Amino acid sequence: MNILNLNPDEDIGASAWLVEMDEHRILLDAGMHPKREGREAAPKFGKAGTHDLDAIVISHCHHDHVGSLPLAVRHFPKAHVLMTELSYLLVERVLHNSVNVMTRQRDELGIKEYPLYTHDELDDIAPYFQGFKYNREVEWAGHSKARAGLPSPTLEFFDAGHTLGSAGVLLRGKSETMFYTGDVCFHDQTILKSARFEGVKADVLVMETTRGNREVPKEFTRQGEIDRLVEAIHAAQKKKGCVMIPSFALGRTQEILALLALLMREGKLKKQPIYIGGLGRVFTEIYDIESHRMHRQHTNLHLNEAFATGGAGKGRGGHDEAGRREDLCDHRRHDEREHGGA
């Protein structure tokens, strides 16, 4: 087994790991570096050489893990692209939004090489994408090798608990195994359960981590952070102010929305409208559709009852959609939906 890191830097971003196993080659993730611009933000795919790639695997749909996927497919045109079925629901929306962002940066910042890929190119490569369930062993050899009857290594996705569709990836070869965690969360969130890596055994472990070299402060607790959030909201509202919470559109937005809804139901925050728009609204609707997979130990409230759903969109995939107001105390509509509604 050979493993090559294609990240152009040593810190977070542009995740891309080339793995050679039993004369097969697979790429784990194809991200974009958040602190760089243009082609300097992409992985160094040229370091992988000119040999064919069998497959590309995406651990989850955050930009630092999937943002350069069209470039990877362009560089390795024979590779098929594998991900979880939930990531399959998200990936095109994420990448089309990236085109919009790069186009705007080209006009505003003068980055002439942007966009690095186009909407039409994304539409062309989308048929290469395949979604799979967690805990299912999948052969990933290239199509030509499979047709020739050559034995294939396998992979299996394990729920990483990080965001919707996130997965650790276990590669199994003839005599060696490798486990790639991707981004992982080892504690329950308001919506998602913690990573389910129980029983995973491997010869090689590749773990990416933001704070892995620093211990968690002894005084730090999740509940303590929730209490600080409640105090900050109370302080702002006491001054008759509004509260704006910037957050990632995928994952963090939905966690905050569900947490606020829970705090309102518990009486720790007063019931009040929340405004949300843009790509976060689109992802929240997908979370709600897949709510049967989510952690609902503390609340059965659907997420789309905890945020303002948007109006008709202007851009691809609703990227420019504006949100409207939704009153969180309207339990009657929630009850209708829970008991025989649409």
Side-chain angles (χ1 to χ4, degrees):
M1 182 192 307
N2 293 315
I3 303 172
L4 180 63
N5 185 4
L6 304 182
N7 189 330
D9 208 335
E10 295 182 354
D11 57 3
I12 298 172
S15 296
W17 299 86
L18 177 69
V19 180
E20 297 177 330
M21 176 180 285
D22 300 341
E23 299 182 0
H24 297 78
R25 296 178 5 124
I26 190 169
L27 181 69
L28 303 177
D29 278 338
M32 197 73 79
H33 201 291
K35 297 180 181 179
R36 297 187 177 203
E37 301 293 348
R39 296 189 181 279
E40 290 299 314
K44 302 298 184 182
F45 295 125
K47 292 172 60 177
T50 58
H51 297 295
D52 291 339
L53 195 70
D54 293 83
I56 301 169
V57 174
I58 298 301
S59 67
H60 66 287
C61 286
H62 279 151
H63 195 253
D64 57 334
H65 289 258
V66 75
S68 68
L69 178 57
L71 303 182
V73 174
R74 190 189 300 166
H75 194 88
F76 307 109
K78 295 183 180 181
H80 50 158
V81 182
L82 314 178
M83 62 193 73
T84 67
E85 60 180 0
L86 297 178
S87 288
Y88 182 83
L89 299 177
L90 300 166
V91 64
E92 290 185 63
R93 292 172 173 86
V94 171
L95 294 174
H96 278 298
N97 183 69
S98 294
V99 176
N100 294 340
V101 171
M102 287 188 288
T103 301
R104 185 166 63 247
Q105 288 179 321
R106 177 196 62 195
D107 297 337
E108 296 176 355
L109 304 178
I111 305 176
K112 296 181 180 179
E113 59 187 342
Y114 275 170
L116 299 180
Y117 45 87
T118 66
H119 291 301
D120 288 340
E121 186 175 3
L122 288 174
D123 292 338
D124 289 340
I125 68 174
Y128 293 104
F129 301 166
Q130 297 173 274
F132 296 92
K133 295 180 181 296
Y134 291 117
N135 308 118
R136 172 185 173 186
E137 200 165 359
V138 179
E139 294 184 345
W140 53 265
H143 297 302
S144 60
K145 295 177 183 178
R147 286 195 299 268
L150 297 177
S152 171
T154 65
L155 65 82
E156 184 174 351
F157 293 114
F158 291 82
D159 191 344
H162 172 61
T163 190
L164 191 68
S166 62
V169 184
L170 178 63
L171 301 180
R172 294 186 178 96
K174 293 178 182 177
S175 59
E176 292 180 297
T177 56
M178 170 187 166
F179 188 63
Y180 170 60
T181 64
D183 288 351
V184 58
C185 181
F186 288 115
H187 61 78
D188 288 349
Q189 302 179 60
T190 305
I191 311 174
L192 299 179
K193 292 183 178 179
S194 63
R196 281 166 273 185
F197 290 170
E198 297 85 355
V200 174
K201 295 181 180 180
D203 299 304
V204 177
L205 172 66
V206 175
M207 174 179 286
E208 295 191 330
T209 173
T210 305
R211 303 178 182 90
N213 62 346
R214 300 195 299 274
E215 292 188 12
V216 177
K218 293 182 179 180
E219 67 277 9
F220 177 88
T221 65
R222 176 180 171 85
Q223 186 57 49
E225 293 302 294
I226 294 174
D227 293 342
R228 286 207 311 137
L229 174 63
V230 171
E231 291 174 4
I233 292 174
H234 284 162
Q237 293 178 334
K238 188 175 182 180
K239 299 177 182 178
K240 301 188 182 300
C242 297
V243 178
M244 178 180 291
I245 305 178
S247 62
F248 289 124
L250 175 58
R252 190 56 55 203
T253 289
Q254 294 74 38
E255 170 68 9
I256 291 174
L257 288 170
L259 176 61
L260 293 177
L262 176 62
L263 292 171
M264 290 180 193
R265 292 184 68 185
E266 292 178 342
K268 296 179 180 179
L269 291 175
K270 69 177 183 179
K271 295 173 182 177
Q272 57 201 284
I274 294 177
Y275 300 84
I276 179 176
L279 197 61
R281 188 201 68 81
V282 177
F283 290 148
T284 303
E285 287 188 344
I286 296 175
Y287 263 76
D288 190 54
I289 291 171
E290 298 297 328
S291 61
H292 63 284
R293 296 179 178 272
M294 300 179 185
H295 180 45
R296 304 175 76 180
Q297 180 177 354
H298 301 296
T299 176
N300 289 321
L301 184 64
H302 279 290
L303 273 180
N304 76 343
E305 298 298 334
F307 79 110
T309 55
K314 296 184 293 182
R316 288 174 177 256
H319 304 130
D320 298 319
E321 293 176 353
R324 65 177 177 82
R325 206 177 84 171
E326 184 74 13
D327 193 342
L328 289 174
C329 65
D330 190 356
H331 294 296
R332 180 182 60 81
R333 293 204 309 120
H334 170 63
D335 290 340
E336 288 175 352
R337 179 165 184 174
E338 283 292 285
H339 304 288

